[in-house]
Amino acid sequence: MLAATGLTKEYRRGGGRRVAFNAVDGVDLTVAKGEIVSVVGRSGSGKSTLLNMLTGLLRPTAGAVLFDGQDIWGWRDAEISRWRNTKIGYMPQGQSLLANLNVLDNVRLPFFLARRDGEITAKALARLAQVGIAHLAANFPAELSGGEARRVALARALINAPELLIADEPTGDLDLATTNEIMKLFAQIVGDGTAVLLVTHEAEAVISPTGARIYEMTGGKLAGRDKKVMRTH
Amino acid sequence: MAEKQLTAWRLAGENLRRQPLRVVCLTAVAAILASALFGGAIFTTGIQTGLDVLAARFGADLMVVPTGNAQKAEAVLLGGEPNYFYFNGEIARKIAPTPGVRQVSPQFFLTSLSADCCDLPVQLIAFEPETDFVVKPWLTALPAQGLRDGQIAIGCDILARENRTVKLFGREYPVAAQIGKTATGLDRSVLMNMSTIRTLIDHAHQEKLHFLADDEPAGAISAVLVRLDGTRPPATVAREIRRENPNVEVVVAQGVVQQIGQALRRLKGQVFAVLVALWVVAATVLTAVYSGSVNERKKEFSVLRLLGATRAKVAGIVLGEAFLTASSGGLIGVVLAALAVFPFSTYIGDRLQLPYIPPAAAYIFGMALFSLALVALAGLLAAAYAAWKIGRAETYLTMRAGE
Ligand SMILES: Nc1ncnc2c1ncn2[C@@H]1O[C@H](COP(=O)(O)OP(=O)(O)OP(=O)(O)O)[C@@H](O)[C@H]1O
Ligand SMILES: [Mg+2]
């Protein structure tokens, strides 16, 4: 479904002399339908940069991203936005809820970002129930705990029933018990037929959902890791 | 039940609702812009109209008055204090043959504090029907013979009683006509012919009222209004009249209108300068605020992009917020300016010694719409730079930990 080849992003840093370096360096990666893929890497290894290129937000210096065989970087902004809105569910790194909207509106938001017909409120409430926070629908993001906010972001990513869910360190700053619960939700989502691309720290990786295919990222380079996750939930 | 849609408008509105301080500031800037524009335009247009009416209505080229009374005479014309002053009626006959003079007509002034029609003193002006060329054009509503003996015509600020009379020095006089607004002294004047004012003075004497004019020899007048034939410049004729008649002063009407015209131009220049300064400052402030808020809200906009909003949609939210604040601020500004200009403009005009006539309703309405549109446009333009920055999305879309 999703295939990246030779994906590279070059950045320049360091005041006057501007040294060029590759934050992402010749990455090949595939995600098949209904599969769960996990990318593990230390902070600064280029994980978020990779995800931004995979989702058409950040233009690669080199390489291609294909979705169902089509080069997404050949599309216009309207097409790429529409694709991101319908086929991809994205859980960004960190706190990403819109502070000015309540939980229900945050979840409904992606539905309204493209032209659509139909009712959404009932679906949004069902998604909130699925992630276990139906009672918080009327709250504002500032009133939520970190774990609750992640659940809202997850419900929001799922609202348009995407084919691929992408999560950038979805449990980055959560305690172990909460991390466990969220990972269970991912396992359940994969069970429903949605592919999941999960980006995690080393620490989180230990508790990646069962059956995940794992890549390891170091200094912008991606390598497959043969050992499957041992632990089950 | 219909769902409340999360349109770009609603998102913009929701953002504004949760940022009251920013909204108050942006709205206030827009309100100041709109009120200055609208108020300034209405006020200067009102004075322009007043000046036009004055120039058109004041049919005399020169006004000859006793020495030392030129300013008082101008006050009578422009709506300052009512006044009276007298000289010998013979003057009119002496002026008539001066080269360049086509017609002369004497007038007689009196003031009345006792008229029950009004709070302010009233200027009584008597004219000579046989020679008059100044008053008649104002009384177009009257039959050809003009005001008959005993009748009066009143300025627009004077209130007639219910039986269409005005009581002066204890007697009622029938009102034959009321003159439209001129924004000059005429608005607070009562007009009548010479024989009516003699009757009025006689009646007043019976009521034991006395006037300064009582000491004057019979046939005294206050002013001689002069129409020129255009063969010689007004200033030249005025100089000659002054030379031939040592005890007179001459007010040149053109000069008065010109003076007001100059004052108006100065006022317009000041209003314009204030407007330009305000707009430059406001444009800078608005642009800075909007583009600053884009930096501040990078995260919010990148989240919208992540969820599948097009660049156009995100820009639309920013522009929507700008439009909402600018147009609501503009509306507030127009209303505030209207509240300031309409009740007080006549008073301000008086203080500036400038005639003010409120512009027509259609003009006011059009100007209100224009001010609103311009302020809304300014808001949009100021936000356009911010929206453009969002268009170059790549520069900030990488979301990193800690941001
Ligand atoms: N816009 C940019 N300009 C220059 N360098 C950048 C830019 N964005 C990211 N980088 C650098 O690229 C590298 C990879 O960043 P990235 O955010 O992808 O790391 P990450 O693996 O997601 O880290 P974390 O786990 O902390 O989120 C880092 O060294 C970062 O400093
Ligand atoms: Mg990251």
Side-chain angles (χ1 to χ4, degrees):
Chain A
M1 180 173 47
L2 184 74
T5 47
L7 214 50
T8 302
K9 182 71 189 179
E10 184 188 88
Y11 280 132
R12 289 167 190 282
R13 72 174 152 206
R17 271 180 291 143
R18 318 282 287 161
V19 189
F21 79 104
N22 287 340
V24 172
D25 198 355
V27 164
D28 299 319
L29 171 133
T30 56
V31 183
K33 269 199 164 54
E35 180 187 28
I36 181 158
V37 172
S38 185
V39 174
V40 184
R42 299 175 48 155
S43 179
S45 56
K47 305 182 299 292
S48 297
T49 307
L50 173 63
L51 291 189
N52 281 313
M53 290 190 290
L54 290 177
T55 49
L57 290 161
L58 187 66
R59 189 169 284 279
T61 316
V65 179
L66 304 181
F67 188 86
D68 288 344
Q70 280 188 290
D71 183 1
I72 66 160
W73 280 105
W75 294 340
R76 285 176 300 124
D77 181 54
E79 294 164 332
I80 218 165
S81 300
R82 174 91 208 183
W83 165 75
R84 201 184 297 130
N85 182 257
T86 49
K87 300 289 172 76
I88 305 290
Y90 200 128
M91 264 183 90
Q93 186 169 6
Q95 151 62 27
S96 68
L97 301 180
L98 296 192
N100 298 331
L101 299 178
N102 68 19
V103 166
L104 179 63
D105 278 345
N106 261 288
V107 174
R108 297 192 318 150
L109 180 62
F111 178 84
F112 292 109
L113 289 179
R115 218 177 285 278
R116 285 196 178 85
D117 297 322
E119 295 275 299
I120 191 59
T121 306
K123 278 189 203 154
L125 289 169
R127 285 297 183 190
L128 283 173
Q130 184 188 350
V131 298
I133 48 165
H135 60 290
L136 297 174
N139 284 43
F140 278 89
E143 303 156 355
L144 303 179
S145 75
E148 287 163 347
R150 285 318 149 78
R151 287 165 199 261
V152 178
L154 178 56
R156 182 179 66 183
L158 294 173
I159 192 68
N160 290 333
E163 292 175 19
L164 173 61
L165 174 71
I166 296 181
D168 192 350
E169 301 189 21
T171 57
D173 48 3
L174 301 180
D175 61 51
L176 213 68
T178 317
T179 301
N180 246 320
E181 285 167 20
I182 295 213
M183 288 301 167
K184 267 186 215 156
L185 287 173
F186 280 115
Q188 187 193 326
I189 290 155
V190 181
D192 294 344
T194 308
V196 174
L197 174 57
L198 196 63
V199 159
T200 58
H201 281 148
E202 195 63 45
E204 290 173 285
V206 190
I207 48 168
S208 280
T210 326
R213 194 152 58 79
I214 299 181
Y215 287 98
E216 196 161 3
M217 192 152 196
T218 354
K221 291 195 168 26
L222 198 67
R225 200 197 242 185
D226 26 5
K227 46 181 173 177
K228 290 260 175 184
V229 173
M230 293 296 136
R231 245 186 84 159
T232 51
H233 300 280
Chain B
M1 194 186 76
E3 286 184 303
K4 214 172 168 192
Q5 300 244 324
L6 277 174
T7 57
W9 283 115
R10 169 120 191 274
L11 283 173
E14 222 48 62
N15 291 342
L16 295 177
R17 213 161 56 82
R18 306 276 296 183
Q19 288 170 310
L21 186 67
R22 207 163 72 86
V23 173
V24 167
C25 294
L26 292 176
T27 311
V29 171
I32 291 169
L33 280 185
S35 64
L37 181 63
F38 178 68
I42 295 300
F43 189 63
T44 49
T45 309
I47 291 174
Q48 180 69 61
T49 316
L51 181 63
D52 292 347
V53 169
L54 178 74
R57 284 283 172 101
F58 191 65
D61 298 308
L62 304 177
M63 188 175 179
V64 183
V65 296
T67 317
N69 292 298
Q71 269 180 348
K72 285 187 187 175
E74 280 183 31
V76 170
L77 284 179
L78 296 182
E81 295 277 287
N83 257 305
Y84 50 85
F85 35 76
Y86 304 101
F87 54 10
N88 195 314
E90 286 302 305
I91 301 270
R93 228 145 306 156
K94 282 166 75 182
I95 292 169
T98 314
V101 171
R102 182 159 89 194
Q103 198 170 357
V104 296
S105 178
Q107 288 192 346
F108 185 90
F109 299 161
L110 207 61
T111 62
S112 159
L113 281 166
S114 60
D116 60 355
C117 54
C118 16
D119 306 331
L120 295 162
V122 169
Q123 178 82 48
L124 305 186
I125 300 176
F127 58 92
E128 193 178 80
E130 303 81 50
T131 57
D132 171 66
F133 58 92
V134 177
V135 177
K136 214 173 285 162
W138 298 337
L139 303 175
T140 44
L142 284 180
Q145 74 268 31
L147 283 181
R148 285 198 302 271
D149 286 358
Q151 285 184 337
I152 59 171
I154 58 177
C156 74
D157 289 349
I158 294 182
L159 257 154
R161 302 175 147 216
E162 265 178 36
N163 58 357
R164 285 197 59 75
T165 63
V166 169
K167 198 170 187 182
L168 297 162
F169 305 111
R171 279 212 188 203
E172 288 185 352
Y173 295 86
V175 175
Q178 187 151 27
I179 299 160
K181 186 156 181 67
T182 63
T184 66
L186 197 58
D187 293 346
R188 289 204 298 266
S189 299
V190 172
L191 300 168
M192 62 197 78
N193 66 29
M194 288 289 187
S195 76
T196 308
I197 207 154
R198 273 193 293 276
T199 324
L200 181 140
I201 291 174
D202 285 345
H203 287 316
H205 286 159
Q206 284 163 28
E207 307 276 335
K208 305 273 177 287
L209 288 166
H210 293 276
F211 304 99
L212 194 67
D214 295 345
D215 306 332
E216 299 288 326
I221 55 169
S222 305
V224 179
L225 294 146
V226 179
R227 180 145 69 172
L228 301 180
D229 59 15
T231 55
R232 305 173 75 204
T236 312
V237 181
R239 218 176 307 124
E240 193 158 325
I241 291 172
R242 256 191 307 264
R243 201 174 56 228
E244 297 293 319
N245 306 277
N247 296 324
V248 304
E249 248 175 274
V250 183
V251 177
V252 181
Q254 218 181 38
V256 174
V257 171
Q258 258 167 17
Q259 261 173 27
I260 298 178
Q262 270 165 13
L264 177 63
R265 263 191 300 282
R266 262 199 308 279
L267 187 79
K268 276 183 175 169
Q270 285 161 358
V271 168
F272 187 74
V274 168
L275 278 181
V276 168
L278 266 179
W279 278 78
V280 167
V281 170
T284 317
V285 168
L286 286 179
T287 310
V289 167
Y290 284 123
S291 60
S293 79
V294 167
N295 285 333
E296 204 176 281
R297 294 164 70 190
K298 262 185 196 174
K299 175 105 185 198
E300 176 188 336
F301 294 134
S302 48
V303 168
L304 283 167
R305 296 279 287 140
L306 292 175
L307 299 178
T310 57
R311 285 180 186 149
K313 183 110 181 176
V314 176
I317 291 170
V318 174
L319 292 178
E321 287 179 29
F323 182 79
L324 285 178
T325 44
S327 55
S328 57
L331 199 63
I332 293 171
V334 166
V335 169
L336 287 182
L339 288 180
V341 167
F342 295 128
F344 299 116
S345 53
T346 308
Y347 170 77
I348 299 169
D350 276 357
R351 293 301 302 262
L352 295 174
Q353 287 279 301
L354 293 172
Y356 177 89
I357 294 181
Y363 176 83
I364 292 172
F365 187 71
M367 198 61 218
L369 283 186
F370 175 75
S371 309
L372 260 176
L374 209 62
V375 170
L377 188 71
L380 283 179
L381 282 181
Y385 174 64
W388 176 77
K389 266 193 359 193
I390 295 165
R392 292 163 59 244
E394 251 192 33
T395 48
Y396 68 81
L397 270 165
T398 313
M399 291 183 67
R400 272 164 289 169
E403 257 185 24

